[in-house]
Amino acid sequence: MNTSISGFSKLSKSEKINWIVDTYFSNKEQAKKILTQYWNSDNKLQQLHDEFIENTITNYYLPLGVAPNFLINGKLHTIPMAIEESSVVAAASKAAKFWLDRGGFKATVLSTTKIGQVHFMFHGQPKKLEAYFKSVKNRLIADAKSITQNMEKRGGGILDIELRNKTEKLSGYYQLHATFETLDAMGANFINSCLEQFATTFKQEALRFKDFTDTEKQIEIVMSILSNYVPNCLVRAEVSCPVSDLSDNKNSHPEAFAQKFVQAVNIAEVEPYRAVTHNKGIMNGIDAVVLATGNDFRAVEAGVHAYASRNGTYSSLTHAKIENGIFTFWMEIPLALGTVGGLTGLHPLVKFALELLHKPSAKELMQIVAVAGLAQNFAALRSLTTTGIQEGHMKMHLMNILNQFDATTEEKAHIINHFKTHVVTHRAVVEAIDNLRK
Ligand code: HMG
């Protein structure tokens, strides 16, 4: 159907819904019911959700689960995870429980620098631009004072501004490359406000720089925006134990397990097709905690994958080794997260998640999120290199299949019991339902 509309954004919520169901749905009442059944009966709470974004018509639920028993730097955490995929929370929980008895996870924040850039065009002598930049740099920082003063009082602010010549890549292209410390805030608004002020000052002051010709005075600002690539906002998460301690009731050959595990990581280090899936498994854990704590998972995803390609080939984010009988598994990833600002003070479930995590600082949250990613990867690799992924994944997915077939509570109980001793496949579940209903 090819239907456009002008002024949609100005319609009320119910007018928007009416237009949608009238335009796209044959069973209009049913379509409306689907939307309205997700409205919250608490009008204030519903209004809060309506106002998070634009053209809101309903709420889109994701389950919020928790993975207990995460021992991180000696402190126990129950980690909140918002995710739609079955077996992720179970896998995280299982990995947490496994490492709980083996010293837990160690996590360290290596750096916290964020980046923003003013991209501009200048078609004059580079030397003169450098001289102009030197003369105006302090003014750039001074003019942003009203934006930075509160952040500075807390110990953060602008770290530096550099002029970068990018003309070898694109004719006339330069940058003001700025670095920031934004403490517990993710810092996107702070950084973007600073950058836009830099751009204004930089353009205005150029008009007064006496060594510029009239053409050189016309610096063309293209855009001012933070970068979601934050290779200097890094956190490391690690687990390690003697190889012999890797055994448990399902794994009686710890040496063979450790070797195969390291091989699996090595494969992801050299083979991009495998690395993408390997890292996707890591992001299962990372995104789920990032989302539960109200952070920007698109920013995290973009930055993490860029980091995975930093040496020119897409590669594994995790690494593993066996040295002197010690198994070590670790990861370093860039994470720009906030525990103040944005949704953190607004969304009731985000507030809940942060309180569950003992109200962490941004640095502590970086550690928790990295650990969730490492745990997820450990669980997936452990399954992949032993039973295969389907056994555990399908065991967890069983409920989804039963729900697809509208199984009753009694049917569910019966079939779950049956699959305690049988391998779950989609076909086997369908057969079991059919047999039960015959
Ligand atoms: P299991 O050994 O059958 O579980 O593992 P269990 O019933 O023996 O229980 C052991 C523990 O696992 C439990 O301890 C829980 O911690 C956890 P307890 O709570 O009993 O003290 N656990 C659960 N937690 C919550 N709800 C549950 C539940 N069941 C167990 N229902 C498990 C089953 C699925 C955990 C295991 O097979 C596993 O870790 N599999 C890996 C699953 C996975 O990685 N899923 C992600 C989706 S697949 C994917 O997208 C990524 C991938 O492609 C990445 C890659 O290729 O690298 C795989």
Side-chain angles (χ1 to χ4, degrees):
M1 194 178 303
N2 196 3
T3 312
S4 66
I5 178 169
S6 170
F8 183 77
S9 66
K10 313 287 182 302
L11 299 180
S12 70
K13 183 169 160 184
S14 59
E15 287 167 336
K16 283 173 186 157
I17 291 174
N18 284 340
W19 182 82
I20 288 166
V21 298
D22 288 345
T23 313
Y24 295 103
F25 291 83
S26 48
N27 190 336
K28 299 175 199 318
E29 283 317 303
Q30 191 196 40
K32 254 190 201 176
K33 195 171 155 219
I34 290 172
L35 295 178
T36 53
Q37 73 189 354
Y38 283 99
W39 288 1
N40 201 292
S41 55
D42 176 340
N43 287 336
K44 212 168 149 219
L45 188 62
Q46 185 52 55
Q47 193 184 346
L48 182 71
H49 283 72
D50 285 350
E51 290 171 2
F52 282 146
I53 61 161
E54 310 74 40
N55 291 344
T56 313
I57 52 174
T58 192
N59 308 309
Y60 186 97
Y61 288 2
L62 283 182
L64 178 72
V66 293
N69 298 321
F70 269 96
L71 184 64
I72 305 175
N73 296 338
K75 190 168 167 186
L76 264 172
H77 290 276
T78 294
I79 297 189
M81 304 177 83
I83 187 157
E84 86 300 345
E85 188 175 0
S86 53
S87 86
V88 168
V89 175
S93 306
K94 187 173 169 178
K97 201 174 154 190
F98 182 87
W99 285 104
L100 180 63
D101 302 331
R102 293 163 178 83
F105 295 81
K106 312 266 174 304
T108 324
V109 172
L110 304 175
S111 50
T112 54
T113 302
K114 317 263 169 65
I115 290 166
Q117 297 167 322
V118 177
H119 304 270
F120 67 95
M121 296 295 175
F122 173 78
H123 297 284
Q125 283 186 29
K127 283 258 170 298
K128 281 204 228 167
L129 184 65
E130 279 164 30
Y132 167 58
F133 173 68
K134 263 188 202 147
S135 74
V136 81
K137 183 171 169 179
N138 287 341
R139 181 72 192 266
L140 295 176
I141 294 170
D143 282 3
K145 210 67 191 166
S146 63
I147 306 163
T148 58
Q149 61 193 9
N150 283 344
M151 188 65 88
E152 278 168 11
K153 268 186 216 147
R154 293 190 291 266
I158 302 162
L159 299 178
D160 196 13
I161 313 174
E162 282 171 40
L163 173 70
R164 292 196 172 175
N165 183 335
K166 295 278 170 177
T167 51
E168 273 184 18
K169 300 208 165 168
L170 185 66
S171 167
Y173 173 35
Y174 292 83
Q175 298 167 350
L176 296 180
H177 181 97
T179 44
F180 301 86
E181 171 55 68
T182 61
L183 304 168
D184 285 336
M186 190 267 193
N189 283 334
F190 170 76
I191 293 174
N192 289 336
S193 300
C194 288
L195 294 171
E196 289 188 3
Q197 181 57 56
F198 296 163
T200 306
T201 304
F202 198 63
K203 192 171 165 58
Q204 273 170 4
E205 291 299 311
L207 300 174
R208 287 203 278 271
F209 188 62
K210 57 180 177 9
D211 292 346
F212 277 161
T213 62
D214 283 350
T215 324
E216 285 170 334
K217 282 179 181 166
Q218 300 307 319
I219 285 176
E220 187 196 340
I221 305 289
V222 179
M223 59 189 161
S224 310
I225 189 74
L226 93 165
S227 172
N228 289 126
Y229 185 42
V230 283
N232 292 319
C233 188
L234 269 192
V235 55
R236 179 187 165 97
E238 180 185 308
V239 282
S240 85
C241 70
V243 170
S244 52
D245 287 358
L246 286 170
S247 62
D248 63 9
N249 53 2
K250 284 189 189 166
N251 168 24
S252 52
H253 301 288
E255 289 80 14
F257 167 73
Q259 269 171 23
K260 209 165 168 194
F261 191 99
V262 172
Q263 279 167 351
V265 175
N266 290 342
I267 289 170
E269 284 169 338
V270 300
E271 164 54 52
Y273 281 97
R274 173 57 201 147
V276 171
T277 317
H278 178 98
N279 291 347
K280 182 273 183 194
I282 296 169
M283 300 315 286
N284 277 343
I286 290 181
D287 282 346
V289 190
V290 167
L291 208 53
T293 56
N295 276 278
D296 182 344
F297 66 93
R298 288 84 54 208
V300 167
E301 281 277 344
V304 166
H305 294 299
Y307 190 74
S309 322
R310 69 193 179 287
N311 297 323
T313 323
Y314 190 87
S315 178
S316 168
L317 291 161
T318 52
H319 307 282
K321 64 179 181 186
I322 304 166
E323 250 173 37
N324 304 322
I326 304 291
F327 169 83
T328 309
F329 178 49
W330 75 98
M331 171 171 76
E332 278 177 21
I333 48 160
L335 284 176
L337 301 176
T339 53
V340 296
L343 272 196
T344 56
L346 272 182
H347 197 303
L349 281 175
V350 169
K351 287 195 226 170
F352 173 90
L354 289 171
E355 193 166 339
L356 176 66
L357 291 172
H358 314 288
K359 300 195 174 154
S361 64
K363 279 184 176 177
E364 286 164 335
L365 186 60
M366 284 168 77
Q367 296 175 347
I368 293 165
V369 170
V371 162
L374 189 76
Q376 207 66 48
N377 192 224
F378 180 80
L381 290 181
R382 189 166 186 238
S383 290
L384 286 166
T385 56
T386 55
T387 57
I389 199 71
Q390 285 306 85
E391 185 183 291
H393 186 66
M394 290 307 286
K395 190 170 143 191
M396 300 300 124
H397 190 56
L398 174 60
M399 195 55 80
N400 287 337
I401 307 175
L402 292 173
N403 283 332
Q404 265 169 21
F405 286 88
D406 286 326
T408 63
T409 313
E410 291 73 32
E411 285 173 332
K412 281 178 183 170
H414 185 92
I415 288 171
I416 288 169
N417 197 36
H418 169 80
F419 281 104
K420 279 187 180 153
T421 49
H422 293 81
V423 177
V424 181
T425 64
H426 193 272
R427 193 159 152 211
V429 178
V430 175
E431 268 171 24
I433 296 172
D434 283 349
N435 287 339
L436 194 63
R437 287 178 177 173
K438 260 178 204 158

